[in-house]
Amino acid sequence: MRPAAGLPADSKYPAIVFNPHQQFEELRHLKRYDKMKNIVRKRDEALSGSINPMLQDFGASSEVYQYSGMQYDSSWECPFKPKHL
């Protein structure tokens, strides 16, 4: 993370950091989205050997599939079943 993010990079607790959707919309508006997407995917490949198999372009489908990093097909259903709605 960048130093100005306000979070310690060496926290003793695990963390997930999400970018606000508005940030992606602004990158699209400024015509920088594709360039940034390609940079991130190249770094993913360099560090992990491949990109997230469920990675989709922002807004193309639900992002919920992307957070796990696992591959799912269209028959997948969320295992969580709330007791009260």
Side-chain angles (χ1 to χ4, degrees):
M1 289 189 294
R2 61 186 181 78
L7 298 171
D10 60 346
S11 173
K12 61 183 178 179
Y13 301 104
I16 285 183
V17 178
F18 296 98
N19 294 336
H21 286 224
Q22 181 58 34
Q23 183 178 22
F24 295 105
E25 294 297 343
E26 181 149 350
L27 285 170
R28 277 194 173 139
H29 175 75
L30 297 171
K31 308 254 189 264
R32 295 181 182 167
Y33 175 78
D34 287 326
K35 181 179 179 181
M36 180 61 67
K37 176 183 74 175
N38 292 332
I39 289 169
V40 169
R41 289 180 181 179
K42 282 180 184 175
R43 287 182 182 172
D44 251 2
E45 256 185 316
L47 293 171
S48 303
S50 67
I51 62 170
N52 176 343
M54 295 303 293
L55 191 62
Q56 298 285 325
D57 289 344
F58 172 71
S61 66
S62 173
E63 61 271 7
V64 72
Y65 301 106
Q66 299 179 53
Y67 296 146
S68 73
M70 297 172 54
Q71 196 158 10
Y72 295 100
D73 62 25
S74 60
S75 66
W76 179 85
E77 291 185 27
C78 178
F80 175 74
K81 306 293 183 215
K83 293 180 182 180
H84 306 286
L85 293 176

